[in-house]
Amino acid sequence: MIKQIKGLHHVTSMAEDAAENNRFFTQTLGLRRVKKTVNFDAPEVYHLYYGDEVGTPGSVMTYFPFGQMRRGRRGTGEVGTTEFAVPKGALPFWKERLGNHGVTGLSEDSFLGETRLKFDGPDKDGFALVESEEKGRSPWSGADVPEDAGILGFHGARFSLRDAAATGELLRFMGYQKEETAGNVTRYRIEGGNAADTIDLEEIQDGHAAGQGAGSVHHIAFAVENRAAQLEVRKALMDTGYQVTPVIDRDYFWAIYFRTPGGVLFEVATNEPGFDRDEDTAHLGQALKLPTRYEPHRDKIESLLPPLAS
């Protein structure tokens, strides 16, 4: 069994409009944009990162806003809901705030004793706020959301799967423990890591396959402390039969990727070096940062990227 996984690192999704995406996460949800860079494979497309003050692993939602991208089709084989943690008692504030901001899909429910507020993102992304213990985390205080209601980071994620058994087995191999099942949803939790520690598997046996597009999660990343731990995880996965990419330098972390039995793309990302490697904490996310190979083309790239609010 793998013992190096510390919980979630980040979740990366796709969007249509960069300015709308930036506005939603920084103004509606009150997260901090901690990095403004570009897609490594498509430098005419932003890669935007939102999180807490420093982009702590387990707090970071990232986006590729492709522009004119067709809307994704919800279904099985995907991360159906990305869940953010908020302090106990914060949901009435958020229900009012999201309603005032015109957010759609608002509905409340509970799962295993936790109160949840579900809502849509700008591209009908599936999100939920879950009341949770703070566990040493603090929200970004630079927004207009009060600290006693601010988003603490991720609570976890819920997968929509036609058959959850093989993915559950993989999660157990990765160090997650199976907890409870309620209806067609089973919870897995990892102990001893960061606070972004839950994965719920929702089994929808007669569901149709998801189609990726704007509003879809592209991949979900799990955190390890450093490159040595990442190599150990890679070897363990490959020894078990998974096809894992070589280690890829993503400037702010190193990454490996593999496809799960349920169809969800997993990444394992290092906590090092972090988002302050090329910007001081006070100015995170302000300047456009480019991978080294794109610096000679900065003027052209900047001319192609749409303007964002600060």
Side-chain angles (χ1 to χ4, degrees), residues 261-274:
V264 179
L265 182 61
F266 275 16
E267 175 183 343
V268 178
T270 61
N271 289 346
E272 58 180 8

Side-chain angles (χ1 to χ4, degrees), residues 39-183:
N39 185 305
F40 269 78
D41 301 313
E44 72 281 5
V45 176
Y46 280 119
H47 193 177
L48 303 174
Y49 294 75
Y50 311 99
D52 64 9
E53 181 178 12
V54 297
T56 304
S59 77
V60 182
M61 189 80 205
T62 99
Y63 269 89
F64 302 133
F66 279 98
Q68 305 303 313
M69 188 182 206
R70 70 177 184 180
R71 182 71 54 81
R73 183 182 70 245
R74 309 307 302 274
T76 59
E78 68 171 354
V79 178
T81 308
T82 302
E83 300 176 337
F84 295 103
V86 295
K88 298 281 189 179
L91 288 190
F93 166 85
W94 280 106
K95 187 174 183 179
E96 180 178 4
R97 179 182 177 85
L98 295 178
N100 289 340
H101 279 257
V103 174
T104 62
L106 289 171
S107 66
E108 291 186 69
D109 66 6
S110 63
F111 181 69
L112 301 181
E114 295 173 339
T115 306
R116 305 164 75 243
L117 176 64
K118 295 187 290 185
F119 62 99
D120 297 332
D123 295 290
K124 300 302 179 184
D125 328 43
F127 290 117
L129 298 172
V130 183
E131 291 191 347
S132 176
E133 300 295 336
E134 295 185 13
K135 300 180 181 179
R137 300 192 287 182
S138 299
W140 164 236
S141 59
D144 66 341
V145 177
E147 190 168 351
D148 61 0
I151 291 174
L152 302 167
F154 291 125
H155 178 271
R158 178 171 292 191
F159 298 178
S160 300
L161 304 171
R162 184 165 292 180
D163 183 351
T167 301
E169 182 178 350
L170 170 61
L171 289 174
R172 291 193 294 273
F173 180 68
M174 291 173 61
Y176 282 78
Q177 298 176 14
K178 183 178 180 180
E179 291 197 335
E180 297 181 61
T181 298

Side-chain angles (χ1 to χ4, degrees), residues 207-219:
H208 62 264
Q212 282 213 334
S216 300
V217 170
H218 184 271
H219 62 267

